[in-house]
Structures are given as structure tokens and as C-alpha cells.
Amino acid sequence: MRLLLIEDDVALGEGIRQALSREGYTVDWLVDGVSALHALLSEVFDVAILDLGLPKLDGLAVLRRLRQSGSTVPVLILTARDATEDRIAGLDAGADDYLIKPFDLFELKARLRALLRRSAGRAQVLIEHAGISLDPSTQQVTYHNEPVQLTPKEYQLLYELLSPPGRVITRERLMQLLYGWNEEAESNTLEVHIHHLRKKISSDLIRTVRGVGYLVEERP
Ligand code: CA
């Protein structure tokens, strides 16, 4: 789950980055509107957290240009307590949700989960496929009702492959989702995670599409 955080307050940004990284998100963080817009238009993110008061280009302008480009990436805006007009303008400009500063990190995490569920068009909370049950709210995974212990990266990979199954997902996209810009990754690291998932769940769960990426079959 790759997330772009756009926040120029360094203390707040660092707090959010740490909390969401611990939650298993791949967090990339930018502090101005121009670089944020560029990143949002050129790379793949599952969700963005956008502060409205930003240097170079304010958050509302970023959001308007993003939506004008046709992007539907879910965006949660952060606004100041007294700025009712900003919140309304943000929602009108295409924000999916907002939080008023200061906010509780637990609320932020819950709002993100809800946003991601909505954006995946999923009414139900549980993802169930081929004996696997994955609960995004707790990040618990079971296979034929037995708990499966996954690392955060393995969980992210499985979540992506199952959202929904039946799509070939390229190596590049998976590497971006798992590592973003900041984390160094060995070239074979994806294969290692896939190997562990096959071992922990089922050897025929994930198909390698040679030279392209990976696939969980829609009908097992
Ligand atoms: Ca700000």
C-alpha cells in the first residue's frame, strides 16, 4: 500500500510517516505542492494525504489539477481547525475525506482504511479468496481458518495481489508499492517475499508471469 504524504510541517509529517510505516504502508513524503503534483501525475500511489497550506503550490491547487488530469487516486486533506471554507472547497475540488488538525493518529489510520475500502469498491471488510481470508482492519490473514503470520511486506504483497485477483501486477508496480523512494531494496527481494508467501500459504497460490510480474488466478 503506497501512500504519498504531502505535509510541510516537519514534526507532524515525521509523526505521520512513522505511524503509517509501522502500519505497513510504504510512505513517500514531500513538503511542497509542486513536487507533490509532479509525483502524483507521474507515479502510482494507492492514496494521498494532502495538507492544504503548502509552499510553492497550495493543496487546493494541487487537488484541482490532479482531478483535471483525470486521476482518481483517493485523497484525504488536512485542514486547520477554523477553516470551514477550506474544507468545503477541498471536498468540492475532489477530496475524498478530510481531517482537522490536530487529529488523532488512530483516526487517521481508520479513515485511510475506510478510504481504501471505498476506492476498491468493496462493501465488505474481509477479502476472501481460495481459502484465504484477509482482514484489512486488523491485517490478520487466515488460510482455511488457520492463522498465517506474515511480515508487513508480505501482507502488502498479498493484499495487492488479491485486490482483486485475476490481474497481472508488474514487478515495477510491486517494487514501488513495497519500497517507494526511500528504502533500499535488493533486486531479488520481491522473489524472496513471493517465495515466503507461497511457503506460508500455498505453493500454487501465486503464478509467475515470466518477464512481467505476478498473478493470483481469479478462479483457483
Ligand atoms: Ca502546512
Side-chain angles (χ1 to χ4, degrees), residues 7-9 51-55 101:
E7 170 58 72
D8 60 321
D9 179 323
D51 181 31
L52 289 187
L54 289 172
K101 296 179 182 180

Side-chain angles (χ1 to χ4, degrees), residues 78-94:
L78 304 178
T79 71
R81 176 169 288 287
D82 49 356
T84 310
E85 286 173 11
D86 276 2
R87 290 203 298 280
I88 294 168
L91 292 169
D92 282 343

Side-chain angles (χ1 to χ4, degrees), residues 62-74:
V62 172
L63 188 55
R64 287 201 186 99
R65 292 197 204 172
L66 182 69
R67 294 306 187 221
Q68 279 162 10
S69 80
S71 166
T72 57
V73 63

Side-chain angles (χ1 to χ4, degrees), residues 154-167:
E154 289 162 7
Y155 173 85
Q156 277 191 67
L157 256 183
L158 184 64
Y159 180 93
E160 185 63 25
L161 288 163
L162 293 178
S163 301
R167 298 163 307 143

